[in-house]
Structures are given as C-alpha cells and as structure tokens.
Amino acid sequence: MKKNMGLADQIIRFGLAIIITVLYLTNFITGTLALILLVVLGILISTSLFSFCPIYLLFGISTKKKSKYKKRSY
C-alpha cells in the first residue's frame, strides 16, 4: 500500500473526526445520522493513520509531496 495522503489532508481528516466525536458525545447527533457519522469517523481515522485513501487510488490522486531526494538502490 503506497501512501497517497499529505500531512494537510491527514490533519483535516483527523480534525473532522474530532468534530464528529464531540457532536456524538454531546448528543447533538443521534439515531441513524449518528450511526452513519460513526462509520465515517472510522474511515476518517483509519485513512488518516495509514496515510492511504482508496478513493484517491481509484482516481490517481495523491496529495503527498514528492521527496527532493531520490532513493538509492544498491
């Protein structure tokens, strides 16, 4: 699995996950909407932690910056 998410993308996803968590814990969201957002929460956290988004892979998108330095193979 090749990383395709940059740091800014990870921070935004993690921030959204925190917002959803706070809304759920304060009972601002309930019922079916809460269940759907909890699933979204799991997706946001997992993609943020692994720096990999399967949807980005499907569309050939990468927000990860290219390294200035080439890796040497010996």
Side-chain angles (χ1 to χ4, degrees):
M1 176 167 49
K2 187 177 178 183
K3 294 182 179 184
N4 61 4
M5 284 178 46
L7 182 62
D9 201 2
Q10 289 175 303
I11 292 171
I12 291 169
R13 288 172 187 246
F14 195 71
L16 288 173
I18 291 172
I19 291 170
I20 293 171
T21 302
V22 169
L23 291 175
Y24 180 73
L25 292 176
T26 59
N27 288 328
F28 191 78
I29 53 172
T30 58
T32 306
L33 177 62
L35 293 175
I36 292 170
L37 287 178
L38 287 176
V39 170
V40 170
L41 171 75
I43 294 169
L44 288 172
I45 290 175
S46 63
T47 57
S48 181
L49 289 176
F50 293 115
S51 302
F52 177 76
C53 180
I55 295 175
Y56 283 5
L57 183 65
L58 288 174
F59 292 108
I61 299 170
S62 178
T63 59
K64 186 172 191 248
K65 290 184 179 179
K66 304 292 183 202
S67 177
K68 290 189 233 180
Y69 308 102
K70 287 187 176 183
K71 292 183 179 178
R72 292 186 181 187
S73 58
Y74 294 99

